[in-house]
Amino acid sequence: MRCRHCAVPLAHTFLDLGFAPPSNAYLTMEDLKRPEKYYPLRVLVCDRCWLVQTEDYAQAGELFSPLYAYFSSTSIGWLKHAEKYVTDMTAQLGLSGDSFVIEVASNDGYLLKNFVGAGIPCLGIEPTASTAAAAEALGVPVLREFFGETLARRLAAEGKRADLIAGNNVYAHVPDINDFTRGLKAVLKPQGTITLEFPHVMRLIEKCQFDTVYHEHFSYLSLAVVDRLFRAADLRIWNVEELPTHGGSLRVFGCHSDDARADSPAVAALIDVEKSFGLLDMAVYSSFQQRADRVKNDFVAFLIEQKRQGKCVVAYGAAAKGNTLLNYGGIKPDLISAVFDAAPAKQGKYLPGSHIPIVAPAGLTVRRPDVVVILPWNIAEEVMAQNSHARDWGGKFLTAVPEIKLV
Ligand SMILES: [Zn+2]
């Protein structure tokens, strides 16, 4: 396989999680009678441009079933994050009724509805029909297509270049990241601004968040690499902010390379931090597998010990993160008897690979578990607040990454 950015052959493995089914392939009871498809889940790193990337595999297209699409609006914390972003950007960039905002991967309209409310024209780009329909119901115009250079050029030709292009948690999920970046360039107005948010690979490594690796997550990004990707598309990163979302994300601010605005010192400063951390050195990548294995082994040992003691352990959150951890650990319903999740579309189904049944949160009071493992640790506070009654019978909450923590 060649690097998706610079095309040199890839020779270094960052993380090998063996084989796993697609993280969103939730199963029905009928599906449990059939064989299940597993795909290799391996992440490589380029020793020339340092792009950390998921290995290509056969039949990639089969993986992306939109049936169980994630609806951004189900997380209250994320809604607040989006609302604040819109207020901040509107003030900073002086957006008005004459401006035009594009959001790539606009999901269910969780963000753009704030621009609609403020009377600022906008357009969402979202290929997943179910979430696009939810956005349209909120009055958000949506183009149901995949974003890339071809679409961007078409929009530009129609006079639809943007003052602001937003992309939250999409950049790491696009297979052809060069084409996507050229698309940003093509549809950006001369003085326009791009903001992209993505999990920071430096935090992934630091906090051993190996469970954020799954097939649909193609790239694991640093500022240094995104800076390189932008330069290659004749764009420039002029500012960066560190965010607490998803265990530690970056929000980069981009513009055309010939834009007059000055670079914030934050950009060079963070690239220096990344260099000191070792992101431009193979050692930090080649030692990661061992660290991930330790977290997984500790978690499995904990579950076995609970089983021996006759304790009831359940999980909360049927999310991609959870599936990676459970499948890498080979964990089945004998160790975690159920996973609770608030999404009605998932209830009554089974997690891919582990086949743990998905149950509505109301069932917690029936089962009265001793331990609730919160799989999406990034929303642990929210989950604990919504299910605090589990403490009434002495139930404890637990997160497993980067180490077992009872809370
Ligand atoms: Zn490369």
Side-chain angles (χ1 to χ4, degrees), residues 3 5-8 46 48-51 53:
C3 172
H5 173 58
C6 74
V8 303
C46 175
R48 189 165 104 185
C49 76
W50 302 106
L51 177 64
Q53 49 202 297

Side-chain angles (χ1 to χ4, degrees), residues 55-194:
E55 187 179 36
D56 286 331
Y57 34 80
Q59 297 100 33
E62 288 180 9
L63 281 172
F64 305 108
S65 150
L67 272 175
Y68 302 103
Y70 176 74
F71 282 73
S72 297
S73 292
T74 53
S75 166
I76 298 156
W78 189 243
L79 284 176
K80 284 187 186 154
H81 177 76
E83 197 182 328
K84 184 173 185 316
Y85 167 85
V86 171
T87 310
D88 291 353
M89 285 298 112
T90 303
Q92 272 182 39
L93 305 175
L95 300 176
S96 69
D98 300 326
S99 308
F100 186 53
V101 177
I102 289 178
E103 187 189 10
V104 183
S106 51
N107 198 269
D108 57 9
Y110 73 102
L111 186 138
L112 288 181
K113 69 175 184 182
N114 298 293
F115 282 116
V116 170
I120 297 166
C122 60
L123 175 68
I125 296 169
E126 175 55 63
T128 307
S130 54
T131 51
E136 283 164 346
L138 297 172
V140 176
V142 182
L143 204 54
R144 297 181 186 206
E145 289 185 57
F146 281 100
F147 183 79
E149 192 179 8
T150 306
L151 172 61
R153 290 198 177 282
R154 202 179 84 212
L155 287 169
E158 291 168 5
K160 290 180 182 160
R161 286 197 292 176
D163 297 280
L164 172 64
I165 306 172
N168 290 338
N169 298 308
V170 58
Y171 204 40
H173 287 77
V174 293
D176 191 345
I177 201 163
N178 288 339
D179 178 73
F180 185 96
T181 314
R182 288 193 299 266
L184 295 174
K185 169 82 184 175
V187 78
L188 186 68
K189 268 190 197 164
Q191 308 304 322
T193 299
I194 299 161

